Amino acid sequence: MWQVGVWEPEEPVSPLLVELAEGAGCLVRACCAPHPTWNTPLDLLVVAPHGPRAVCLPRCRAALVPGDVAPPQCSAPPPIWVSYGCASRNTLTLSSLTAQSAAVAVQREFPHLGGGVVERQELVLPYSGPAPLPFLAQVGTALLLGLLP
């Protein structure tokens, strides 16, 4: 069972991720503290949009972070570091968005927790909300868990 930590001090995304992870053998733990700690090692840490900027992340195998979060300076970054946001420098971006669909661009390949690789691609997915950044966090989580191609 994968341990997923969600750090959401300002904007909750864990309800979206709990729904996503229910069938994937994951346990999602949310934290809104300024300096989060989890009692178990995390496989995946998801930092919610508008979360902390200069951070000392808890140990994890993979981190999914907003594009303006710099890698941690107090410890080694996790082996898998995936950023999401609107800038082309982010690993995951939105290339188009309508009321019914969103095109998510994977700008660089990265490994997922199951051992495979997420290739550069554009995924056209159904979209009816939430806001774009929480949606990218949801898609990024699904990709890192190996739930999307």
Side-chain angles (χ1 to χ4, degrees):
M1 177 179 295
W2 283 323
Q3 302 289 323
V4 179
V6 181
W7 191 5
E8 49 188 3
E10 293 183 24
E11 186 170 350
V13 296
S14 58
L16 301 170
L17 300 182
V18 167
E19 182 180 323
L20 172 74
E22 276 182 346
C26 299
L27 180 61
V28 177
R29 302 168 187 265
C31 179
C32 61
H35 302 287
T37 58
W38 279 271
N39 294 332
T40 60
L42 297 176
D43 294 299
L44 173 59
L45 172 67
V46 178
V47 179
H50 315 298
R53 297 298 168 244
V55 296
C56 285
L57 298 175
R59 288 187 173 218
C60 56
R61 290 179 46 205
L64 176 65
V65 299
D68 55 354
V69 172
Q73 297 181 9
C74 59
S75 62
I80 303 170
W81 183 268
V82 176
S83 64
Y84 65 93
C86 298
S88 61
R89 70 179 180 277
N90 295 315
T91 309
L92 302 175
T93 64
L94 284 173
S95 57
S96 71
L97 182 66
T98 69
Q100 293 83 28
S101 68
V104 176
V106 179
Q107 306 278 54
R108 285 171 293 292
E109 68 179 33
F110 57 89
H112 64 69
L113 292 175
V117 174
V118 177
E119 303 284 338
R120 288 182 60 171
Q121 61 186 302
E122 184 168 271
L123 300 165
V124 178
L125 302 168
Y127 177 80
S128 59
L133 289 179
F135 178 75
L136 280 173
Q138 186 177 14
V139 171
T141 301
L143 288 166
L144 282 161
L145 295 174
L147 302 176
L148 289 174

